[in-house]
Amino acid sequence: MEKQSLFTRAQNVIPGGVNSPVRAFRAVGGTPIFIREASGSKIIDTDGNSYIDYVCSWGPMILGHSHPVVVAAIRDAAGRGSSFGAPTELEINMAERLVAAFPSIEMARMVSSGTEATMTAIRLARGFTGREKIIKFTGCYHGHADSLLVKAGSGVATLGIPGSPGVPKSLAELTITLPYNDAEAVRSAATRYGDEIACIIVEPVAGNMGVVQPKPGFLETLREVTHANGSLLIFDEVITGFRLAYGGWQTLTGILPDLTCLGKIIGGGLPVGALGGRREVMEHLAPVGPVYQAGTLSGNPLAMTAGIATLDILKEKSYPELEKMTERLCAGFADLFRGKDIPARINRVGSLFTLFFTADEVVDFETASRSDTALFARFFQGMLAAGINLAPAQFEAGFVSFSHTEDDINRTLSACAKVLKTL
Ligand SMILES: *Cc1c(COP(=O)(O)O)cnc(C)c1O
């Protein structure tokens, strides 16, 4: 078992053996698989096992792994130099695509991760408004910047407590955490803190407590409240950006934020993030304005190349087809679970889905938390053993890519049928 010895070696020199915690399988137990290579909808581990992959690098690989056009573009770009620390035309080409795709984006700044995008968005919102408090929602993940690593306290508009040691209390206190989908809580926080609030940041479709759809009126309320009190609305579309439509959730709904955070898909599998919004706000960033932000590898030519190649392919793709495939997968899951009397809720938006092991409707973090995580862990391990790679934690999204086939879906469902017999 190669993965065992690799994991032992890894744990010796990398905390927990991983460079991002969820990869360590702590929520499901056992030893993480180490990936050797991947192509299309399949990943192959170092033990030679092949899996149908519904993690897709946590979202970026919407075209599937190693898409030949993207690979060729990266190869070609690498031969011409991998970083210059000076402007390139590629960065303009990328920014122009983002501006064209997103109705609310007039200018964009490229960074190297989603975390950098949200961190910058918060700083920019504070710098633009001259205010310090921010509102986020419990169970929404916006990367690991200090201000955003805050979980909910109890009650409606509880001042934040640090979600991680190392986040200063004085900073966490500026983060107000509210329940997702609770428009009333937003209204009462706005009444209480109105002109102290710099911004509200939200995943327009939540993906990091598992997939949770916004209730009708929720995002509209955020837009209305921020307009009324002069704060900024930030959509974190790091997952949803080019996932739910070319142009993200805002394109589908017409609800337009002041700032949009992007990442994942726009890097085509390379490390990228971006921040975009109204010119008036974006020009508060240095060097035009006083809000500082920088990055040695920002707008990196390889990352821009992979991202542009990905976006140009996506532009020609049918998102409804991708959705239909995912719908069929989820309908299949639902049938199998119904037949087994195992409580399950399947939330799906576009090609994002989560199978919650709970009988209750999941509308926020509290209801998501009712899931039977022990049962999920057994399901996960069964599926993995059957060649299906799901996210190794209950509170995550599953991702279907354009490279998944009907055959993949059928094989996934027959694996599921077998696994359910063992639960
Ligand atoms: C992944 C993610 C981030 C953070 O992006 P990184 O590139 O991992 O820093 C931020 N927001 C959302 C909604 C995400 O899913």
Side-chain angles (χ1 to χ4, degrees):
M1 293 287 275
E2 177 122 65
K3 69 178 180 183
Q4 285 297 357
S5 70
L6 288 176
F7 197 41
T8 304
R9 265 177 67 202
Q11 284 171 296
N12 207 27
V13 287
I14 303 170
V18 293
N19 283 313
S20 199
V22 72
R23 298 177 195 171
F25 274 31
R26 291 283 170 105
V28 292
T31 305
I33 55 172
F34 281 66
I35 310 304
R36 189 176 73 201
E37 59 185 283
S39 173
S41 60
K42 314 292 186 310
I43 56 171
I44 298 171
D45 71 11
T46 47
D47 292 298
N49 304 303
S50 174
Y51 306 86
I52 301 171
D53 182 26
Y54 293 100
V55 179
C56 291
S57 185
W58 304 90
M61 311 320 295
I62 190 168
L63 297 177
H65 296 280
S66 314
H67 189 287
V69 174
V70 179
V71 171
I74 296 172
R75 274 213 179 98
D76 182 54
R80 280 179 276 116
S82 51
S83 185
F84 313 120
T88 62
E89 187 178 349
L90 287 168
E91 295 160 85
I92 312 171
N93 293 342
M94 172 59 91
E96 284 173 347
R97 279 165 176 75
L98 300 183
V99 169
F102 286 81
S104 72
I105 297 184
E106 291 176 348
M107 305 188 97
R109 168 70 54 91
M110 301 308 301
V111 293
S112 296
S113 68
T115 294
E116 269 188 86
T118 55
M119 180 186 77
T120 305
I122 298 294
R123 185 182 305 136
L124 180 55
R126 284 173 165 156
F128 182 78
T129 59
R131 303 169 178 183
E132 294 196 331
K133 286 190 170 50
I134 67 170
I135 291 179
K136 77 174 283 289
F137 297 93
T138 311
C140 281
Y141 177 69
H142 304 292
H144 59 92
D146 283 351
S147 292
L148 295 166
L149 263 192
V150 178
K151 64 183 174 187
S154 57
V156 170
T158 314
L159 281 178
I161 52 165
S164 164
V167 176
K169 190 162 170 286
S170 58
L171 196 58
E173 277 169 359
L174 298 173
T175 303
I176 299 159
T177 311
L178 304 176
Y180 190 77
N181 265 333
D182 190 340
E184 262 327 292
V186 175
R187 285 189 198 285
S188 62
T191 305
R192 186 162 168 197
Y193 302 108
D195 60 5
E196 296 173 74
I197 299 168
C199 63
I200 298 181
I201 184 166
V202 67
E203 290 179 73
V205 173
N208 286 291
M209 55 183 110
V211 175
V212 176
Q213 178 146 18
K215 285 183 182 166
F218 176 60
L219 297 174
E220 288 87 342
T221 300
L222 304 189
R223 183 62 285 182
E224 188 188 310
V225 160
T226 45
H227 262 318
N229 71 16
S231 52
L232 299 187
L233 178 60
I234 303 173
F235 275 6
D236 180 348
E237 297 225 45
V238 169
I239 286 181
T240 55
F242 288 91
R243 164 63 56 180
L244 301 179
Y246 192 92
W249 191 247
Q250 57 192 267
T251 308
L252 291 174
T253 59
I255 305 167
L256 304 186
D258 300 289
L259 291 173
T260 301
C261 300
L262 298 169
K264 298 197 168 121
I265 288 174
I266 64 165
L270 271 67
V272 170
L275 169 70
R278 297 208 312 274
R279 180 177 305 273
E280 175 203 8
V281 181
M282 291 299 290
E283 287 194 336
H284 268 65
L285 285 176
V288 190
V291 177
Y292 196 72
Q293 185 279 329
T296 301
L297 292 176
S298 292
N300 174 267
L302 297 191
M304 294 304 96
T305 298
I308 289 167
T310 299
L311 296 190
D312 288 352
I313 297 167
L314 279 178
K315 194 137 189 15
E316 307 304 321
K317 292 281 187 190
S318 162
Y319 281 85
E321 252 168 54
L322 182 60
E323 168 155 24
K324 224 176 286 159
M325 181 93 77
T326 315
E327 210 167 21
R328 208 167 78 62
L329 175 69
C330 290
F333 280 143
D335 280 347
L336 292 169
F337 275 81
R338 219 174 291 126
K340 274 289 157 202
D341 250 4
I342 298 171
R345 282 279 171 170
I346 297 160
N347 281 7
R348 184 194 61 78
V349 180
S351 57
L352 297 172
F353 68 92
T354 299
L355 230 163
F356 291 100
F357 282 77
T358 171
D360 302 333
E361 195 188 352
V362 176
V363 296
D364 57 13
F365 185 70
E366 198 272 316
T367 44
S369 303
R370 293 177 197 165
S371 303
D372 184 339
T373 53
L375 199 57
F376 170 82
R378 286 168 56 203
F379 177 71
F380 166 86
Q381 294 292 2
M383 291 296 275
L384 190 68
I388 312 297
N389 189 47
L390 300 171
Q394 169 73 91
F395 308 111
E396 300 291 351
F399 299 88
V400 178
S401 79
F402 281 106
S403 67
H404 284 80
T405 62
E406 291 292 335
D407 181 56
D408 289 334
I409 304 298
N410 293 337
R411 283 172 53 196
T412 303
L413 292 174
S414 63
C416 177
K418 280 188 203 122
V419 171
L420 288 187
K421 284 190 194 126
T422 70
L423 287 190

